[in-house]
Amino acid sequence: MDLRVLVMISGRGSNMRSLISNARNYSISAVLSNKPEAAGLEHARGAGIQTYAFASGEHGSVKAMKRAIWEKVGELAPDLIALAGFMLILDQDFVDRWYGKIINIHPSLLPELPGLGTHRRAIEAGHAAHGCSVHYVDGGVDTGPIIAQARLATAAGESEEDLAGRVLALEHRLYPWAVANIAAGFVWLEGRDVKYSREAVSSAKSEGFEIFGG
Ligand code: GRF
């Protein structure tokens, strides 16, 4: 049976769309957002996927909204949670509860450039290489065990917008690859070590993705 994946978003949801349209070995069982106006929600509904939207106003505080979100995730009991531009800081008990079953995509070659504004910072720092990472989520900001990365060479004089667009195109390939390989049992976590089957090693190589550990 397909792995049931819950995608959590806050905005445009382009990675969510890529996860939906490239689903292999998994299905998107629900999409949840902490922003009712997130553009990605409408697309998910159009694709016939169950959506859940939360607004801090309705819950009285961000803290109460977070509690409601964590409860809903518990009810949904997904096999995997894929954060895709989800902009709420996760509480430690939530991360602990889902450790090993929650992943994120980040627009930099971690551990370089955690946090926001990665494309501007890559340009300002004169990085010759930039890209994106998919990682398991731990209690830190973009610090969890890295599953895979896709890398590109920055171009001289390239604008932040152009660089962001090129990285996003890589994200749209990398994230479905990672989820499909987890779903197939080809990628898994042991403690803080990411493990890969031979199939994952060879498909990462043919896609041009870098993987970590062994
Ligand atoms: C992506 O760049 C992702 O790496 C980051 O947030 C952005 C979300 O974009 N975590 P989208 O909503 O998937 O289009």
Side-chain angles (χ1 to χ4, degrees):
M1 215 184 69
D2 279 357
L3 200 83
R4 291 167 49 255
V5 181
L6 167 66
V7 181
M8 292 173 65
I9 64 170
S10 299
R12 111 194 117 169
S14 71
N15 278 289
M16 174 211 76
R17 290 170 75 135
S18 182
L19 286 172
I20 294 170
S21 58
N22 294 300
R24 197 164 40 90
N25 311 324
Y26 69 86
S27 59
I28 306 300
S29 55
V31 172
L32 182 156
S33 175
N34 63 318
K35 300 272 179 206
E37 67 279 15
L41 285 175
E42 205 174 313
H43 179 87
R45 279 186 217 113
I49 295 169
Q50 181 71 52
T51 63
Y52 300 91
F54 293 79
S56 53
E58 274 171 29
H59 293 273
S61 68
V62 172
K63 195 171 167 210
M65 177 186 67
K66 278 187 175 182
R67 208 175 313 121
I69 292 176
W70 309 157
E71 268 170 30
K72 176 53 74 183
V73 175
E75 260 171 47
L76 294 171
D79 299 317
L80 184 74
I81 301 169
L83 304 180
F86 187 65
M87 299 301 286
L88 260 190
I89 304 272
L90 305 178
D91 294 339
Q92 188 63 49
D93 58 344
F94 179 76
V95 171
D96 290 345
R97 158 73 184 80
W98 291 98
Y99 184 69
K101 288 188 169 187
I102 178 165
I103 63 174
N104 182 43
I105 184 147
H106 180 75
S108 82
L109 297 172
L110 291 170
E112 296 280 350
L113 306 175
L116 299 175
T118 56
H119 308 304
R120 179 183 43 76
R121 287 157 60 208
I123 291 170
E124 282 170 5
H127 287 182
H130 187 44
C132 54
S133 309
V134 174
H135 64 93
Y136 284 102
V137 172
D138 68 5
V141 176
D142 306 318
T143 53
I146 297 169
I147 297 167
Q149 295 185 328
R151 152 187 311 260
L152 51 70
T154 54
E158 187 172 21
S159 70
E160 181 181 345
E161 202 188 3
D162 286 353
L163 182 58
R166 290 204 297 137
V167 172
L168 194 62
L170 289 180
E171 293 184 38
H172 294 165
R173 289 179 43 225
L174 183 68
Y175 215 3
W177 176 89
V179 176
N181 275 274
I182 291 170
F186 294 166
V187 171
W188 66 98
L189 190 64
E190 284 178 19
R192 285 191 66 84
D193 294 333
V194 182
K195 301 287 182 184
Y196 307 88
S197 71
R198 258 179 298 139
E199 293 89 339
V201 171
S202 92
S203 70
K205 194 170 174 202
S206 62
E207 294 283 350
F209 301 149
E210 287 162 62
I211 57 174
F212 298 78

